[in-house]
Amino acid sequence: MSFLDNLYKELILEHYKHPKNKGELPPPALKAEGINPSCGDELELFIDLKDQTIADVKFTGEGCAISQSSASMMTEAIRGKTVDEVLELSQKFKDMIHGEAPAEELGDLKMLQGISKLHARVKCATLAWVTLEQILKPHTP
Ligand code: ZN
């Protein structure tokens, strides 16, 4: 394993142990649940949408380190962005995880690129983003 792989692994575990934006948002925040039965990952995502912008975001859930750290990283990546920007980012992230595109313009999210080689864990890494799309797709203009 390369130095970089080890470093990314450390950072992923750090997000797992100390997740960012963990918790709930009260109504009228938008809310969706995501489940990945193949691994047993569960996620509940809360989005506070103001003027087509992610004003606040939180998540709760239980599951493997990859699913939970991916959710934590996602909340950091999308806060303050518009719905359009976030859906574009989501597509780029999924392309990277499916090994179909380079990890360009993805910032910290590229830490998860190694998952693209672990096919059984792809759904763990994308769970938060799929759940996010459930919330945002009905709010696209
Ligand atoms: Zn998992």
Side-chain angles (χ1 to χ4, degrees), residues 36 39 41 64 67 121 124:
N36 171 23
C39 181
D41 305 319
C64 68
S67 70
R121 314 308 296 277
C124 303

Side-chain angles (χ1 to χ4, degrees), residues 97-108:
I97 291 290
H98 289 120
E100 290 162 2
E104 280 167 16
E105 304 160 44
L106 282 172
D108 284 354

Side-chain angles (χ1 to χ4, degrees), residues 1 17 22 25 33 42 47 105 119 122:
M1 191 177 256
K17 286 184 206 148
K22 191 122 193 216
L25 291 174
E33 281 173 52
E42 293 176 7
I47 301 272
E105 304 160 44
H119 292 282
V122 162

